[in-house]
């Protein structure tokens, strides 16, 4: 079991949860949680330990989010196709051709570098690594969703 499998298990992603998570509102509000989490962590300089309250609120939202919106049964939007593709990939890793595996590994590496910069910026209370790291994380995730959307289209074409 790799990290992606563990994350899906942690969030208890059932069929219904995946369909709800494929709702574009779910996808975009998870992205909206990123600056909220950054602000919550940064707020430790203003409100000290009380900053754990907004941090906890964002964490709770991230667990509730995949179940908060109506399910998408037929993925038509870019975001929904990406989430359906991610699920198909989790169920059968062989769906991804070798050249796309390299791209996915690159995106994971980019996201890890971005996350490291983001954490460093938050610890040091430095704006540029926080913003640059967050940008890398978001770009990597958006590109990943795009690749999974392509994967879903390919997977659906092969099933037909």
């Amino acid at each position: 079991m790799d990290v992606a499998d563990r994350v899906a298990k942690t969030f208890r992603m059932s069929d219904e949860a995946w369909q709800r998570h494929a709702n574009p509102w779910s996808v975009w509000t998870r992205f909206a949680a990123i600056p909220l989490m950054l602000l919550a962590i940064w707020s430790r300089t203003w409100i000290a330990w009380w900053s754990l309250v907004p941090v906890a609120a964002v964490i709770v939202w991230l667990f509730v989010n995949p179940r908060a919106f109506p399910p998408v049964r037929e993925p038509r939007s870019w975001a929904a196709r990406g989430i359906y593709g991610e699920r198909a990939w989790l169920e059968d890793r062989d769906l991804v051709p070798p050249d796309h595996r390299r791209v996915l590994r690159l995106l994971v590496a980019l996201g890890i570098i971005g996350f490291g910069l983001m954490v460093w910026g938050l610890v040091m209370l430095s704006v540029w690594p926080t913003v640059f790291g967050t940008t890398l994380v978001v770009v990597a995730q958006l590109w990943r969703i795009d690749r999974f959307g392509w994967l879903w289209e390919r997977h659906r074409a092969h099933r037909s």
Side-chain angles (χ1 to χ4, degrees), residues 29-46:
T29 56
R30 284 178 77 83
F31 275 103
I34 295 170
L36 295 176
M37 180 61 89
L38 297 176
L39 183 61
I41 293 169
W42 201 286
S43 74
R44 74 184 191 275
T45 62
W46 311 308

Side-chain angles (χ1 to χ4, degrees), residues 74-88:
E74 181 59 37
R76 291 189 177 94
S77 72
W78 175 85
R81 288 190 311 270
I83 298 305
Y84 267 70
E86 180 180 15
R87 181 166 187 211

Side-chain angles (χ1 to χ4, degrees), residues 4-62:
D5 292 323
R6 280 187 240 136
V7 169
K9 271 197 163 142
T10 299
F11 283 90
R12 293 189 280 282
M13 296 297 286
S14 64
D15 288 344
E16 180 78 9
W18 275 106
Q19 290 174 352
R20 289 175 176 276
H21 181 44
N23 188 308
W25 280 96
S26 175
V27 173
W28 297 119
T29 56
R30 284 178 77 83
F31 275 103
I34 295 170
L36 295 176
M37 180 61 89
L38 297 176
L39 183 61
I41 293 169
W42 201 286
S43 74
R44 74 184 191 275
T45 62
W46 311 308
I47 57 177
W49 288 104
W50 285 103
S51 65
L52 295 177
V53 173
V55 167
V58 173
I59 291 169
V60 167
W61 170 247
L62 292 175

Side-chain angles (χ1 to χ4, degrees), residues 145-158:
I145 291 170
D146 186 64
R147 292 299 76 212
F148 284 138
W150 170 87
L151 175 66
W152 174 252
E153 292 298 326
R154 182 175 181 264
H155 175 64
R156 192 169 65 174
H158 284 352

Side-chain angles (χ1 to χ4, degrees), residues 56-73:
V58 173
I59 291 169
V60 167
W61 170 247
L62 292 175
F63 276 93
V64 169
N65 175 284
R67 292 162 190 79
F69 299 99
V72 171
R73 307 277 185 224

